Amino acid sequence: MTVVGPFGLSVRDQALETDVQAGLAAVEAGLLEATKSEVPFITEAAQHLVRAGGKRFRPLLVMLASRFGDPYAPGIVPSAVVVELTHLATLYHDDVMDEADVRRGVESANARWGNSVAVLTGDFLFARASHILADLGPEAVRIQAEAFERLVTGQILETAGPRDGRDPVAHYLDVIAGKTGSLIAVSGRFGALMSGADESVVDILTQYGERLGTAFQLADDVLDIASDAHESGKTPGTDLREGIPTLPVLRLREMAAQGGDPADLELVQLLDGDLTDDARHAEVLTRLRAHPALERARRDTIQYAEDARAMLAPLPECFAKSALEELCDAVVHRAG
């Protein structure tokens, strides 16, 4: 048994492990090439998060999905570079919106160079992704455009908040289906599509990616509360401090509204206060870590991961399918 990719994913076949490692190495080289500019400062800013590392979760999914067709087809590595570039671009923009200071264990671009440079660098990465897409054909361009529309729509919905009468949890799940699930779904779709897999397989791996992407984001929500900075690569409680409504917080509010427990209501009041105050932030973080709402969010994460696993049932038994199933386990493990 060997280990490859994010979370220490186990791969039980030497040929698969070798091919996936080679594919990810090619993606890494492609990312560095795609982020080069004739202007040295742009290269430095664009490669800032590339060189900081990362799980490369989306490229790994492209590689595994390609195993259901021709895994050596020429469009696979470029499509993996596209999805990772798009993801990286959103991180630059997210950190500006969240006023984050740390990303992937290093100083965020906005903290280092300011918001304008961070936003423009994200735009530069989107442009480079589009350039690569143009060589993959109009179908790939359409797929990416639709996913990008969903991603931006999810971000806008998050910013606007739920409309009157809408269940906040249902609204939030719609938000992350767009913000996170859409691009991870494209990862599965590109891998299968570029490999020439059957249309039914392309659809299965697209639906799998959508569900896995939701589980992935829910696991991040749990990590924002439960982890330390070493585990998550960013300051714990960043979303909490910025007032971003993650699932543990939404579950707490739901429980407080339904049960009326005085301790829950008090914690909600603390959440509604000024969490830029370090002492108040620390108190809320400590109490949330011990609250049943966090465990409820973990169970939600497990359910979405299990839904993703169930999507794989029609696929033929092979080492790639086993690895995709293990990705579901790995996502759940991240959430504790």
Side-chain angles (χ1 to χ4, degrees):
M1 182 185 296
T2 53
V3 173
V4 62
F7 326 123
L9 173 67
S10 300
V11 175
R12 293 176 171 80
D13 178 68
Q14 182 61 49
L16 175 59
E17 191 268 344
T18 299
D19 283 351
V20 169
Q21 290 283 21
L24 291 175
V27 170
E28 208 65 26
L31 288 170
L32 290 174
E33 183 62 30
T35 48
K36 286 181 182 176
S37 168
E38 294 179 357
V39 181
F41 175 69
I42 295 177
T43 301
E44 180 186 6
Q47 293 186 349
H48 180 63
L49 289 184
V50 174
R51 295 187 181 280
K55 295 175 285 293
R56 303 297 188 251
F57 181 68
R58 292 155 188 81
L60 175 62
L61 183 51
V62 174
M63 297 299 139
L64 292 175
S66 75
R67 306 302 296 190
F68 295 90
D70 175 9
Y72 310 110
I76 292 167
V77 169
S79 68
V81 173
V82 165
V83 293
E84 188 66 10
L85 278 176
T86 304
H87 171 58
L88 288 169
T90 66
L91 298 184
Y92 281 84
H93 288 181
D94 283 351
D95 285 346
V96 170
M97 295 182 70
D98 299 344
E99 300 179 358
D101 295 323
V102 177
R103 170 67 72 174
R104 294 183 170 176
V106 300
E107 189 178 24
S108 65
N110 50 296
R112 184 169 181 175
W113 293 297
N115 287 346
S116 294
V117 168
V119 170
L120 291 170
T121 302
D123 293 344
F124 177 80
L125 296 182
F126 284 133
R128 286 298 175 88
S130 297
H131 183 79
I132 297 170
L133 268 171
D135 292 331
L136 296 177
E139 176 71 359
V141 173
R142 183 185 64 79
I143 290 169
Q144 177 74 357
E146 289 175 353
F148 192 50
E149 179 183 347
R150 288 189 61 205
L151 194 158
V152 173
T153 298
Q155 184 65 68
I156 292 172
L157 286 174
E158 180 180 68
T159 303
R163 64 180 183 272
D164 289 346
R166 180 83 196 279
D167 174 24
V169 172
H171 171 84
Y172 180 67
L173 292 173
D174 283 347
V175 165
I176 61 174
K179 282 186 60 179
T180 304
S182 61
L183 194 56
I184 295 179
V186 165
S187 301
R189 187 171 185 178
F190 272 163
L193 182 67
M194 296 297 165
S195 74
D198 290 343
E199 185 177 342
S200 62
V201 173
V202 175
D203 182 62
I204 286 169
L205 290 169
T206 302
Q207 296 301 320
Y208 163 84
E210 178 92 16
R211 288 157 177 77
L212 188 68
T214 298
F216 187 85
Q217 181 57 56
L218 295 183
D220 267 3
D221 285 1
V222 172
L223 279 171
D224 185 64
I225 302 299
S227 74
D228 58 29
H230 176 72
E231 288 178 281
S232 63
K234 64 179 183 179
T235 305
T238 296
D239 293 337
L240 192 66
R241 189 184 293 275
E242 298 303 324
I244 296 171
T246 59
L247 191 62
V249 170
L250 291 173
R251 288 301 188 196
L252 167 66
R253 293 184 183 279
E254 182 180 63
M255 294 167 74
Q258 292 174 354
D261 183 271
D264 289 353
L265 294 171
E266 181 186 1
L267 183 51
V268 167
Q269 284 185 329
L270 285 170
L271 275 169
D272 291 336
D274 180 13
L275 293 184
T276 62
D277 178 79
D278 289 341
R280 189 185 191 106
H281 178 265
E283 180 183 356
V284 170
L285 194 58
T286 298
R287 291 177 64 171
L288 267 175
R289 284 171 172 168
H291 197 279
L294 184 61
E295 182 57 33
R296 175 68 187 275
R298 284 195 177 100
R299 293 201 304 271
D300 292 329
T301 304
I302 292 168
Q303 183 60 60
Y304 272 94
E306 289 304 312
D307 289 348
R309 183 199 302 276
M311 289 301 305
L312 299 172
L315 296 179
E317 296 300 324
C318 60
F319 289 115
K321 179 179 178 179
S322 296
L324 291 170
E325 290 171 338
E326 285 201 24
L327 276 180
C328 299
D329 296 334
V331 168
V332 169
H333 178 73
R334 291 177 72 234

